[in-house]
Amino acid sequence: VSSAAFANEIYIQQIGDTLNLSVTQAGTGNKLGTSTSVPAVFNGDDMTFTITQTGDNNTIDATINGNTYTGTWSFIGNGNTVDLLCDSADAVQCETVTVDIAVNGDTNDFTVYIGENKVADNLVADFTVDGDGNVIVANLDATNADVTVTIDNSASLAGGNTFTIDQDDAGGVNGHSITYDHTGGGGTISITQSGLKDQTVNVTSSGDDHNVTITQTD
C-alpha cells in the first residue's frame, strides 16, 4: 500500500492479493481519494477492507479491481458523498463481492456500481439507511445476487430518501433477488430488474406518501 496523508485526506494505490485494510476517519471534510479522476484504487484478489467515516461532508472515491472483495462501509453524519466502482473494465474483474453499507444521517449521496456487464458471479449486498434526504444509486449485475435494502426515516418528518436499484440481464439460476424494507414517511424508490427470469422482489412498507416503482422484464 502506498499512501500519503495530510490534513484529513488519504490516497491509496494498491497492487497485490489478500489485502486487509481498515480506514477510520473522524471529523469534517475527510477524503479517501479526491475525485473520480483520482480515486483510491485497489488491485488484487481476496481483498477485505473496512471504512468508517464519522462526521459531515466527507468524501470517498474508490475503484476495486479484483476477483473477490469483502467490505464493510459505515457512515455516521450528514452530507457525505461516496462513489464506489467494482470495475469490469480491468483485466481482473469483480466476481465474488460481499458488501455491507450502513448510513446513519441525512442528505448523503451514494453511487455504487458492482459487477458491471454481468461479470459478477456472486453478490451479497446489504444497504442500511437510517436518516432522511439520502440519495443512493446502486447499479448491480451478478449471476447470483442477494440484495437487502433497509430504510428507516421514522424519526423524521421530512420528505424521505431516494433509492434506485438497477439489476440488468443476469437472471437465471437465482440471478435476481431484492428484499426491501421501508419504515417512515415519504421517499422515492425505483427497482428495475431485467434479464432471463429469476426476478424476485420482497417488499415490506410502513408509512405514508411512499412513491415506489418496480419494473421487471423477462
Side-chain angles (χ1 to χ4, degrees):
V1 176
S2 174
S3 66
F6 49 92
N8 49 1
E9 301 179 2
I10 298 175
Y11 309 91
I12 296 175
Q13 295 281 338
Q14 155 70 17
I15 299 176
D17 298 335
T18 63
L19 170 69
N20 192 337
L21 172 68
S22 178
V23 175
T24 301
Q25 293 178 309
T28 300
N30 299 310
K31 293 182 179 181
L32 176 61
T34 57
S35 67
T36 54
S37 60
V38 190
V41 179
F42 303 90
N43 288 278
D45 298 334
D46 300 316
M47 292 184 292
T48 300
F49 61 86
T50 300
I51 299 174
T52 301
Q53 285 186 336
T54 302
D56 300 334
N57 303 316
N58 298 307
T59 301
I60 291 179
D61 286 281
T63 298
I64 300 170
N65 302 132
N67 284 328
T68 303
Y69 166 67
T70 301
T72 301
W73 298 41
S74 178
F75 304 90
I76 302 174
N78 307 315
N80 299 301
T81 302
V82 173
D83 285 290
L84 170 62
L85 173 62
C86 215
D87 187 8
S88 67
D90 191 79
V92 180
Q93 300 169 343
C94 290
E95 294 182 358
T96 300
V97 178
T98 301
V99 62
D100 187 338
I101 298 177
V103 182
N104 191 328
D106 302 329
T107 63
N108 298 292
D109 190 346
F110 284 18
T111 303
V112 179
Y113 285 80
I114 297 177
E116 299 171 289
N117 302 322
K118 300 171 288 186
V119 298
D121 292 332
N122 297 282
L123 169 64
V124 177
D126 290 332
F127 297 90
T128 303
V129 180
D130 190 347
D132 214 335
N134 299 293
V135 177
I136 298 179
V137 176
N139 191 314
L140 312 172
D141 292 282
T143 56
N144 192 330
D146 185 2
V147 180
T148 302
V149 177
T150 304
I151 299 175
D152 186 352
N153 61 302
S154 58
S156 173
L157 298 177
N161 300 282
T162 299
F163 206 116
T164 302
I165 300 177
D166 185 1
Q167 291 200 115
D168 290 327
D169 299 330
V173 190
N174 302 315
H176 297 301
S177 179
I178 294 176
T179 301
Y180 161 63
D181 189 335
H182 187 176
T183 302
T188 300
I189 311 300
S190 177
I191 299 174
T192 301
Q193 291 189 125
S194 61
L196 304 175
K197 302 180 180 179
D198 270 356
Q199 297 134 356
T200 302
V201 178
N202 293 317
V203 177
T204 302
S205 181
S206 176
D208 299 331
D209 301 318
H210 292 175
N211 185 357
V212 179
T213 301
I214 300 174
T215 303
Q216 292 182 312
T217 58
D218 291 337

